[in-house]
Amino acid sequence: MFSILQRITIVFVSLSVSSTVYLYCYPTFHRCKFPSQHASANTSVWSIIKSWNETPAHPPAPFRLLALGDPQLEGDSSLPNHEDSYFPCLRSVWSELLVVNSTYEYLQTIKTCLQNIVTINLPLVLQLYRKRLDLFGNDYYLAHIYHTLYSSTQPTHVTVLGDLLGSQWISDDEFERRGWRFWQRVLQHGLKVEDDVSGKKGVDILGHNKIWGRRVINVAGNHDVGYAGDMTAENVQRFEKVFGKVNWEVTFRLPRDSSNSTIADDSEELPELRIVVLNSLNLDTPALDEDLQGETYNFLNEVIVTSRPVEDRTVGTILLTHLPLHKKDGICVDGPYFSFHTGDLGGGLKEQNHLSYDAGKSILEGIFGMSSNKDGPGKGTGRNGIILTGHDHEGCDVYHHLPDDVSSDLRKWEATRWCYAGPAQNHTIPGIREITVRSMMGEFGGNAGLLSAWFDYQAGEWRFEYSSCSVGIQHIWWAIHVLDAITLALLLFVLATAVVSPNAMIIGTGMVEIKSTKDAHDSSSLAMDKQVEARELSETK
């Protein structure tokens, strides 16, 4: 028995150690890292193994954004009703027994109560605690993604691109509870961007204030504040209280002593990276609260009028928002879709997959200053930048551009998958990349986005590169931790057995050796007894 248990324990320990090492080092095994300038395109197995022990030839990008999409923390709204789950018949059976008139009715009442407990109440209780365990594990699964990637890739900034929570219809108390879980479990050690930081238009020196590595730039999603047709001031206020402002911006300027800098004159503008956080959920109409919508458009206009000239390529703009821009059906998993509340509920916008064409156009031609007018500022090519969005859990990567095969007044924005967008990426054609970050939920593989940005002094503009990293579905996380628990239990049992029965050694072949020694001793004694008997017999004769 001990030998079999030993072999089983060895197998479990081997599987547990190897799988746990993989789980907590998966960014290394998957080669997850922020893209860097002049990165090698060699992806052979030998080059990958060799690079593990090599010092990077080029420094990391000065701006490295860890982008997380749609965690959607659930809570009590997804749990079975508490009143139905805790054996309600036990609270009423006594009063029912007091009014029965016969033994038969007495027994029937008890029988009915027991049947309800076994067939209805007990399954609900089990479902309740299974769901609570599932929520608890999901929090730490999401936390594992954040902490493992954070420690292995060392981002300078972190963002969550909306739908932090699973429903905008929850009570204020439940909102607070989920907010606590978000900050104390999922993004433990992360910090909300302070109101005095997001409320001012300051300029930080990129890389000087290390606190930005812990601050989390949260974007409002439809499950956080609602779509335009059901977004209220109260929903926005509680989001801003727990997670940060819904509309704000910050600018980061490269330090003057940045490597490879050719800017020597103090009067010249240093390269800047502008981060714009936009609540795009009420750009479309009809909106329930037109004042809230007005605030978003006022912010949008303020971003436009305070931008540097379109011709200035030393500025790069990163737009962080929840709703993807408009694109034709078939480009991404989610196609264009709009639905509206009925008239008795205000008739407002109820749901949408993308922004409308006009709302997306206001972003492309407003924030990024692109246009079909080749005689306009910057020849219509607009500002350099990139757009990161959430909402579509499957993720998508597209290039928005204005084809020039028709007259300028007929040109319309089109989106092409990034992998096929090579011909459209022409410096004479306005265009910009939009990345919809795949959800970090377990169903979608626990994905995260890695965006790098650096200033190319030779080209005189910012460069943006993106990669992604996935841990795998949540069942892998659960399975490995269950395996670890079983392995630990086996080891404790083996150790306890060794302490209780020290002579029955399980490790090695000690038990076999003890048995063999005893057998040899017994055989030797038997031989000596036979020799004595033979001697006595000969003397007698």
Side-chain angles (χ1 to χ4, degrees), residues 25-255:
C25 300
Y26 79 89
T28 301
F29 286 101
H30 291 187
R31 295 291 293 153
C32 299
K33 61 181 181 179
F34 282 100
S36 59
Q37 51 185 328
H38 310 302
S40 172
N42 189 356
T43 57
S44 65
V45 174
W46 174 244
S47 68
I48 291 174
I49 295 174
K50 210 167 85 168
S51 68
W52 287 351
N53 296 320
E54 291 180 353
T55 303
H58 302 281
F63 181 86
R64 303 180 300 279
L65 178 67
L66 174 60
L68 306 172
D70 301 71
Q72 290 196 3
L73 298 189
E74 294 184 348
D76 67 354
S77 61
S78 64
L79 295 174
N81 189 291
H82 291 260
E83 294 298 323
D84 294 338
S85 301
Y86 291 119
F87 312 110
C89 76
L90 293 179
R91 295 195 296 268
S92 60
V93 68
W94 180 251
S95 60
E96 293 176 5
L97 291 174
L98 291 176
V99 297
V100 298
N101 298 320
S102 66
T103 303
Y104 175 78
E105 292 180 353
Y106 186 90
L107 294 176
Q108 281 296 110
T109 301
I110 294 176
K111 178 183 176 182
T112 302
C113 181
L114 291 176
Q115 285 179 337
N116 289 338
I117 289 174
V118 174
T119 61
I120 300 176
N121 302 135
L122 187 58
L124 286 173
V125 170
L126 295 176
Q127 182 185 358
L128 172 66
Y129 283 98
R130 184 203 64 79
K131 188 61 179 179
R132 284 182 175 174
L133 178 63
D134 181 59
L135 293 177
F136 181 82
N138 185 66
D139 286 352
Y140 284 102
Y141 166 79
L142 298 174
H144 176 77
I145 296 169
Y146 167 69
H147 289 292
T148 306
L149 278 173
Y150 189 96
S151 61
S152 64
T153 62
Q154 295 296 305
T156 60
H157 298 75
V158 179
T159 184
V160 182
L161 294 162
D163 281 359
L164 286 63
L165 310 183
S167 174
Q168 72 271 35
W169 303 110
I170 57 179
S171 66
D172 291 343
D173 289 340
E174 175 62 15
F175 191 93
E176 291 284 343
R177 283 193 291 270
R178 297 194 198 186
W180 181 89
R181 287 164 50 202
F182 181 87
W183 291 116
Q184 301 303 319
R185 288 183 186 170
V186 179
L187 268 72
Q188 190 180 24
H189 307 309
L191 300 173
K192 168 192 168 187
V193 179
E194 302 87 338
D195 290 344
D196 60 340
V197 174
S198 57
K200 68 177 183 180
K201 296 180 182 177
V203 177
D204 275 12
I205 302 301
L206 186 59
H208 278 205
N209 192 350
K210 301 301 182 184
I211 196 65
W212 276 106
R214 292 185 58 197
R215 287 173 175 152
V216 181
I217 303 172
N218 290 315
V219 177
N222 55 286
H223 287 304
D224 305 316
V225 298
Y227 290 103
D230 46 57
M231 187 188 304
T232 65
E234 291 75 20
N235 281 0
V236 172
Q237 287 169 4
R238 72 181 185 180
F239 178 89
E240 293 188 329
K241 175 184 175 183
V242 177
F243 299 113
K245 291 188 175 297
V246 297
N247 289 312
W248 63 283
E249 65 169 303
V250 63
T251 299
F252 296 99
R253 180 177 296 158
L254 283 179

Side-chain angles (χ1 to χ4, degrees), residues 158-385:
V158 179
T159 184
V160 182
L161 294 162
D163 281 359
L164 286 63
L165 310 183
S167 174
Q168 72 271 35
W169 303 110
I170 57 179
S171 66
D172 291 343
D173 289 340
E174 175 62 15
F175 191 93
E176 291 284 343
R177 283 193 291 270
R178 297 194 198 186
W180 181 89
R181 287 164 50 202
F182 181 87
W183 291 116
Q184 301 303 319
R185 288 183 186 170
V186 179
L187 268 72
Q188 190 180 24
H189 307 309
L191 300 173
K192 168 192 168 187
V193 179
E194 302 87 338
D195 290 344
D196 60 340
V197 174
S198 57
K200 68 177 183 180
K201 296 180 182 177
V203 177
D204 275 12
I205 302 301
L206 186 59
H208 278 205
N209 192 350
K210 301 301 182 184
I211 196 65
W212 276 106
R214 292 185 58 197
R215 287 173 175 152
V216 181
I217 303 172
N218 290 315
V219 177
N222 55 286
H223 287 304
D224 305 316
V225 298
Y227 290 103
D230 46 57
M231 187 188 304
T232 65
E234 291 75 20
N235 281 0
V236 172
Q237 287 169 4
R238 72 181 185 180
F239 178 89
E240 293 188 329
K241 175 184 175 183
V242 177
F243 299 113
K245 291 188 175 297
V246 297
N247 289 312
W248 63 283
E249 65 169 303
V250 63
T251 299
F252 296 99
R253 180 177 296 158
L254 283 179
R256 186 164 293 278
D257 59 353
S258 180
S259 62
N260 298 324
S261 175
T262 58
I263 301 174
D265 190 349
D266 289 345
S267 64
E268 290 189 59
E269 294 282 4
L270 290 168
E272 292 182 347
L273 196 59
R274 192 181 196 188
I275 314 299
V276 178
V277 181
L278 175 67
N279 174 22
S280 57
L281 291 156
N282 57 3
L283 288 179
D284 285 306
T285 58
L288 177 65
D289 191 325
E290 294 183 354
D291 291 336
L292 278 178
Q293 188 179 55
E295 290 177 9
T296 297
Y297 272 99
N298 288 339
F299 171 73
L300 189 60
N301 291 329
E302 194 173 355
V303 170
I304 296 171
V305 298
T306 57
S307 299
R308 283 194 193 176
V310 172
E311 302 89 342
D312 190 349
R313 305 295 289 180
T314 63
V315 178
T317 301
I318 300 176
L319 174 63
L320 305 177
T321 191
H322 184 64
L323 287 176
L325 275 63
H326 173 81
K327 48 191 72 72
K328 293 179 180 179
D329 194 17
I331 301 296
C332 299
V333 173
D334 285 351
Y337 174 78
F338 285 84
S339 67
F340 301 88
H341 289 289
T342 57
D344 57 332
L345 295 176
L349 183 56
K350 180 181 179 181
E351 188 178 356
Q352 62 186 125
N353 283 348
H354 303 156
L355 290 172
S356 66
Y357 177 85
D358 290 333
K361 181 180 178 182
S362 68
I363 290 175
L364 296 170
E365 299 185 2
I367 294 179
F368 294 97
M370 294 182 280
S371 73
S372 59
N373 184 9
K374 294 184 178 181
D375 296 325
K379 297 182 179 179
T381 56
R383 300 182 178 90
N384 188 21

